[in-house]
Amino acid sequence: MDDKLREECGVFGIWGHPDAARLTYLGLYSLQHRGQESVGIVTSDGERLQAVRGMGEVNEVFTEAVLDKLPGNCAIGHVRYSTAGEVSLNEAQPFSIKCHRGEIAICHNGNFPFADAMRAELEREGAIFSSTSDTEVVLHKLARSRQTDLEAAIAEVFRHLEGAYSILILTPERMFIVRDPRGFRPLCLGELNGAYVVASETCAFDLIGATYLRDVAPGEIVTVDREGLRGTYPLPKQAPAFCIFEHVYFARPDSRIYGRSVNKSRHKMGKQLAREQPVEADIVVPVPDSGVAAAIGYAAQSGINFRFGLVRNHYIGRTFIEPAQSIRNFGVKVKLNPVRDLIEGRRVVLVDDSLVRGTTSRKIVEMIRQAGAREVHLRISCPPTISPCYYGVDTPSHTELIAANQSTEAIRQFINADSLGYLSHEGLLDACGVDEGLQFCTACYTGKYPLPVPLRAAGRSGSASA
């Protein structure tokens, strides 16, 4: 939908498999929900790197003929939705360079809030950039490090970089896996017939038949080469701050994120939402697809019948031709359509995972009313989103976030719902496993940032740090 926080990016890597390129293709296909603007794969045959990048989705860029041009038993890949930088082929990852260290490829899920300042400093020193991506700053830092070994250079560079990052680095002979000390973005390790695999989500392992081993730990640098896999912890220790929105919306429900089932978290969100925001109604209807698990939980807890009262068109391309504005709310209607015989004459609880600007929610509520609903009660399975994210999530500015500027009652009136209820902050934390020792970043709901961000990046007055 147009009014969602957008997925950041997805990364996948494999070391030691003769069909590395095709397995990376499949892994990225599983991670397509994390980015649809561009995709790329770099492979290693032990002597040199081969790269293919393109605009569009995985199956649009990578045909059998293209995959045949990517030999080797090691690969890294990336699907991108831009959270920083422009939208063009120059921004597509993985980036590949040749320098005094040899060939290096890198891909990144996350964001460096201070990248602009670092970039400006490098440019003053004569550096030339080919993209606007903050990931390219890392390559320059690696090339300029005085450490003789790349592994030592990686440790040195990331000791001085603040940000949210799950990064894969590939050379002809080694792969490096790096996760920031706060663990903002997810990253997990697996094994497939003696080969090592790494991915943003475990659903990528399921498709290729890999076995999940463990998460890459916050602050860990994993090196994979002919001698096997080894992890070190050279980065400064920080309090964990896992992105809670992975469990709210970003990750697929069949994934395990931070060692916990996403589906389980969303189901618990829905049950807790029913306890906190009950209402007399006839049916519970999810906004598909991301609202389904929470709606099932809401229905189970409330005893109200669950129904798929909205049908989603799964065959929408990245572009489509819109008719004249005489067809109201066409953008929503082309994606969702109500089932009138389920909705007509009934009181509907509409369950969605988030409410950002409110514009799409307003159109969906109107659609439900036009289908004959007697009442429409919107329930959101997370707290009000009041602050932008600077750690790899594309968030509207503070002025565009409706909950940052209006009361719940004012929002209810704007979307024309009979009632509006959010899950509490405490309820969300409980549903996502805070009692199991997980520590989350919830800055989008609280405005308290675990890592300070530049005021220029924050785009509004006041302190941008916790």
Side-chain angles (χ1 to χ4, degrees), residues 135-168:
T135 311
E136 198 174 1
V137 171
V138 178
L139 281 174
H140 279 278
K141 292 285 188 181
L142 289 174
R144 288 166 178 250
S145 170
R146 296 184 177 180
Q147 297 289 338
T148 56
D149 180 70
L150 180 57
E151 185 173 352
I154 290 171
E156 177 187 69
V157 167
F158 285 102
R159 274 196 293 266
H160 297 93
L161 280 180
E162 286 276 27
Y165 51 87
S166 288
I167 283 182
L168 305 185

Side-chain angles (χ1 to χ4, degrees), residues 187-199:
L187 200 59
C188 46
L189 285 170
E191 186 269 339
L192 175 65
N193 299 328
Y196 290 106
V197 290
V198 57

Side-chain angles (χ1 to χ4, degrees), residues 30 201-212 252 254-256:
S30 296
E201 295 184 33
T202 59
C203 64
F205 296 167
D206 297 335
L207 179 59
I208 65 173
T211 301
Y212 168 78
R252 272 180 31 174
D254 52 333
S255 286
R256 294 185 65 85

